[in-house]
Structures are given as structure tokens and as C-alpha cells.
Amino acid sequence: MGKKILIVEDNDDDLFIIKRYLSGAGYNEVVVARDVKEGLDKAEQEKPDLVISDTLLPDGNGFEVCQRVRQKHGAENPKIIIMTGSIDAVDAVKARKMGADDYCAKTSDCGIIMDAVKKLI
Amino acid sequence: MEIKDGPGEDLVKEIESLKSKCEKAQAELKATKEELEVQAWGLNKTNEAIKVLYKELENKNRELKKLDDMKNEFINTVSHELRTPLTTIREVIAQFLEGILGETTSEQKEFLRICLEDVDRLKRLIDDLLDTSKLESGKFSLVMEWVDIAGLAKGVIDSFSPRARVRNLEIKKDLPGIKLMAYADRDTIVRVFTNLIANAFKFTDTGHIEISVADKPEYIECFVSDTGKGISEEDLPKVFTKFQQFGRREDVKEKGTGLGLSIVKNIIDLHKGKIWVESKLNTGTKFTFILPKSSQG
């Protein structure tokens, strides 16, 4: 498959689960960032095909990651998925306006996220 | 042929202006359509995400409830197993103290008394744990009957009189001269008064403890107040939570289990009553509860 994925996520448990499902589906090239700053740095250095970012991050939020990746790398690539695990933080309209390709809820089986990944890359 | 001046030129200008307006309107329409598409997509996705997360929360809740039930079951079993040998141990110590099992020296008696106190403390802890687990799992059954709450309160207050004398604390009581009947479980209401008054004793060094029972149209209102050390504003919301102990005191002989007030709240809830607390540091604490006269109401 050879597609590179960058996950921006600060929660260890969520990160572990997503990585497991991704590798189960054959996506083995996974890079991890723990906050907005690291996410933007890695997006620059690693040139991923897809960025999956959590909404709430220690130094900001996923919308910021999305907006700044789009400003720097254009509207097409990388593809971006914003995910959320908190009902309070659900805002797909904002994600779309910032340039996200998809928006989904984090679930314990990662079903929705995996579907979105397969559709985008 | 070139048209100069005249109606022809105006017409061209008019057409061009209309064309430009039309293009502008079209662009606006396109932008609105795009915005609407983003909104529709976003709302759809938002809706989907909320639904999924809600379901996820429901599942987690169910799992937690199952774990809580398992915990209660465990406490229940363990408490029963602990209580049985404890009764035997207590009986043997008591018989030694009373001299039934032979002579003991005064030093031995002192040790046995300490043992007995600790066995009683352990028994209180086990009883509290057992009650809490029963109350939480809904297995606590009340024996409802018409009870004179004022008379019942007087009984509990009288049982504390010797302690008040020893501690040099005044017990003020404001009880009506008549019976105040409520449909309630006698033993648990005794427990409520006992726990609240014992608590007041524990945290009051000087002044008084006041107990009041008053008749209201639909319910009976009771309070237990003290002039003790009080509870800080920060701790106040946690007062009825399990295993919360505030202002622990090394000099208090009868150490608490941190379950007393949680049990009180559970009992009042089971009676469809209400309980609340007011307190000020170094001034005192007042627990007020109301009991419906008939819990059907």
C-alpha cells in the first residue's frame, strides 16, 4: 500500500487502538505527533498522505492543525480527517470549513475512522 | 456600422450592466450553494458523530454499572464471611473480661478492653460496608409502619446523654409535646439520628448540639446542629459521598468509616425525603432532613 499516515493524538489509549486498527488494515507507515506544534512539524518533514487529528489537543485543537496544513500544503494533499471523542466538541461544519476531508467520532472499534481512511487513500 | 449616441448605445450599456449583475448574482448563488453544501455535510456528520458517541457512552455506562454490581456483590459476600468469625472472637473476649473463662489480671483486662473496642470498630465498619452495598444494589428492604418520629428522636437523644455529660456538652432539644407520625422504617430512621448526632459529637469540643423535630403540613422537618469545627466550603459538596472524611482528628476515640453520612443520605432517599447541610468553619454544622408523612406522596 505504501501510504504514510500522520496521527495527531495526545491520548495514549486512543492512539494505541487507532494504530492497531490501521496496521491491521495494512497501513504500517504511521507517524505520531502529540500536539499541534509537533503535528505541523511532522506534516512538513514526513509528507504524509493522510493526517488524522484529534479535536482537543494540549496546545490547541485539530481545526488549527487542519487550517495550517491547508495553508502550507494546499487544498488537495495531504487528506485530512478530524476525529472527536467528546460530544461537547463535535463541530463538523468548522472542520469542513478549515479544509478537512472527513469528520468522525472515535469509537472503541475505530469502525468509522477506518471506513473514512479507506475512502480517502 | 457604428452607432454613435442615441438609444442604441444606451441599450448596449443596459445589457452589459444587466449581464454583469447577472454574473454577480450567479456567483453569489454559487457561493450560497457551496456554503449550504458545507453546512448540510457538516450537520449530517455532526449528527452522525453525536449519535455514535452517545451510543458509545451508553455502552460504557452499562459496563460501569455491571462492574459496580460485581463490586457490591463482592463486598456483600466478604462482609458476611468476616462477620461470622468476628462474632465468635467478640464473644470470647467479652467472656474473658467478665471473668466467665477464669481470672485475669487488671493489665490483661486492659488489653482485652482494647481488643474489644477494636473488634467493635471492625464490626461497625463491616456493618456500614454491608449496608452501603445493600443500599446501592437496591437490596435494602424497608419495613414500613407508622412511627412517632418525635418519640423516636427522644429515645436516640436520651441514649447520648451520658456521653454529653462526659464531654461537657449541652444537648438542646426542640421536640413537640405530641406524637408526630410518619410512615417510615423505624430502625433506619434511628440510624439516621444516631449517625448525625454521633457525628456532631465527634466534631464539637465546646458549646452545644441541638436536635429539632417539627411538624409541617406535608412532611416532618428535623435538624441536628452543632457548634463544632464546621466543614469548609470546598468539602461541603462531598459530605454525602462515600469514604469522605473531613477534619480527621487524632484524639477522637471512635474513628469513623467514612460511610455514615452516605448511608444517612441513602436512607432518606429511600424514604423519598431530602437532606442537606449548611456549615461554616469554626462556627458549626447543621444537617436538616425532611421526611414525607406518607411516602406515597
Side-chain angles (χ1 to χ4, degrees):
Chain A
M1 232 169 268
K3 298 279 187 187
K4 192 188 273 187
I5 300 175
L6 165 64
I7 309 175
V8 190
E9 168 67 87
D10 62 318
N11 182 302
D12 287 335
D13 296 341
D14 290 348
L15 192 59
F16 176 76
I17 295 171
I18 296 168
K19 273 174 80 175
R20 260 190 60 183
Y21 277 95
L22 283 174
S23 89
Y27 300 100
N28 291 313
E29 235 183 307
V30 175
V31 191
V32 172
R34 314 306 297 248
D35 53 33
V36 175
K37 193 186 166 298
E38 200 187 347
L40 294 170
D41 288 348
K42 293 242 166 110
E44 178 84 39
Q45 296 154 10
E46 304 281 345
K47 308 261 177 281
D49 299 286
L50 170 70
V51 177
I52 305 176
S53 175
D54 188 19
T55 307
L56 301 171
L57 294 165
D59 60 343
N61 57 53
F63 305 123
E64 249 174 285
V65 175
C66 195
Q67 188 183 28
R68 288 165 66 181
V69 166
R70 283 283 170 256
Q71 277 166 1
K72 192 136 201 179
H73 304 277
E76 285 299 319
N77 287 303
K79 301 291 179 200
I80 302 176
I81 299 174
I82 302 285
M83 59 184 178
T84 182
S86 154
I87 287 187
D88 301 335
V90 173
D91 193 348
V93 177
K94 190 169 178 187
R96 187 61 148 195
K97 285 190 175 166
M98 297 297 162
D101 295 285
D102 210 340
Y103 183 87
C104 32
K106 281 195 266 185
T107 54
S108 42
D109 66 352
C110 288
I112 304 170
I113 294 173
M114 290 312 297
D115 286 346
V117 171
K118 283 174 198 158
K119 238 181 263 169
L120 286 170
I121 57 173
Chain B
M1 193 180 80
E2 212 174 301
I3 303 167
K4 276 188 186 168
D5 295 335
E9 195 180 2
D10 288 347
L11 201 65
V12 171
K13 270 188 190 159
E14 183 77 5
I15 289 170
E16 261 162 16
S17 149
L18 273 174
K19 199 179 150 206
S20 137
K21 272 185 194 159
C22 202
E23 275 166 4
K24 211 176 141 205
Q26 243 170 355
E28 273 170 20
L29 207 67
K30 193 167 168 251
T32 311
K33 194 178 160 233
E34 275 168 10
E35 171 68 20
L36 277 176
E37 272 168 6
V38 169
Q39 292 281 350
W41 182 91
L43 286 177
N44 189 23
K45 286 279 173 184
T46 299
N47 200 6
E48 215 172 83
I50 288 178
K51 243 192 254 167
V52 169
L53 289 174
Y54 187 75
K55 207 168 164 200
E56 196 85 344
L57 265 182
E58 268 184 342
N59 288 343
K60 280 204 184 114
N61 251 348
R62 214 171 299 134
E63 272 169 39
L64 281 176
K65 173 95 186 39
K66 215 157 74 188
L67 281 177
D68 206 44
D69 286 347
M70 275 168 67
K71 180 209 72 189
N72 280 334
E73 189 66 39
F74 174 74
I75 292 176
N76 215 341
T77 316
V78 171
S79 306
H80 268 300
E81 295 302 316
L82 284 173
R83 207 146 58 151
T84 320
L86 211 55
T87 314
T88 319
I89 295 168
R90 193 192 189 286
E91 189 55 30
V92 172
I93 298 172
Q95 287 192 12
F96 262 119
L97 265 174
E98 284 165 26
I100 298 169
L101 298 178
E103 286 298 306
T104 42
T105 65
S106 62
E107 198 187 8
Q108 285 169 334
K109 276 205 179 78
E110 188 49 35
F111 281 123
L112 287 170
R113 243 190 301 277
I114 295 171
C115 283
L116 200 63
E117 260 171 34
D118 276 350
V119 167
D120 283 341
R121 208 182 126 211
L122 204 54
K123 193 175 164 294
R124 273 201 308 277
L125 179 62
I126 293 169
D127 286 346
D128 279 358
L129 273 175
L130 206 56
D131 282 347
T132 305
S133 95
K134 272 195 210 152
L135 281 162
E136 286 186 355
S137 60
K139 284 183 190 146
F140 201 97
S141 48
L142 298 179
V143 182
M144 301 299 273
E145 57 184 329
W146 286 100
V147 182
D148 170 22
I149 301 294
L152 181 150
K154 189 177 176 305
V156 179
I157 296 167
D158 288 347
S159 73
F160 276 93
S161 304
R163 206 152 145 194
R165 266 196 301 277
V166 173
R167 296 277 305 277
N168 206 14
L169 287 170
E170 186 193 352
I171 298 188
K172 291 183 179 176
K173 45 187 174 186
D174 180 14
L175 306 175
I178 49 159
K179 286 184 176 181
L180 279 189
M181 306 301 284
Y183 198 65
D185 175 271
R186 177 185 298 274
D187 290 347
T188 58
I189 301 299
V190 167
R191 186 96 182 258
V192 167
F193 277 109
T194 309
N195 281 8
L196 290 179
I197 299 173
N199 230 40
F201 265 100
K202 222 183 286 178
F203 297 108
T204 309
D205 288 327
T206 53
H208 63 263
I209 289 160
E210 187 176 354
I211 298 110
S212 154
V213 176
D215 190 19
K216 303 277 161 171
E218 299 286 323
Y219 51 85
I220 294 170
E221 186 176 299
C222 314
F223 73 74
V224 175
S225 70
D226 63 55
T227 53
K229 56 185 295 187
I231 305 161
S232 74
E233 214 172 296
E234 186 192 324
D235 288 335
L236 219 46
K238 295 181 273 185
V239 157
F240 296 111
T241 313
K242 270 182 298 180
F243 302 115
Q244 295 288 341
Q245 287 183 309
F246 309 113
R248 276 172 178 276
R249 294 166 41 154
E250 291 308 319
D251 55 321
V252 173
K253 243 191 165 182
E254 190 184 301
K255 289 200 173 70
T257 60
L259 290 167
L261 288 175
S262 147
I263 290 172
V264 163
K265 166 119 179 47
N266 271 312
I267 292 172
I268 299 292
D269 284 349
L270 274 180
H271 281 82
K272 295 187 176 124
K274 274 195 180 69
I275 182 162
W276 63 93
V277 57
E278 298 151 85
S279 187
K280 211 172 165 194
L281 267 184
N282 302 319
T283 308
T285 306
K286 181 182 181 183
F287 283 93
T288 310
F289 64 91
I290 56 174
L291 279 175
K293 287 181 180 170
S294 160
S295 59
Q296 270 85 5

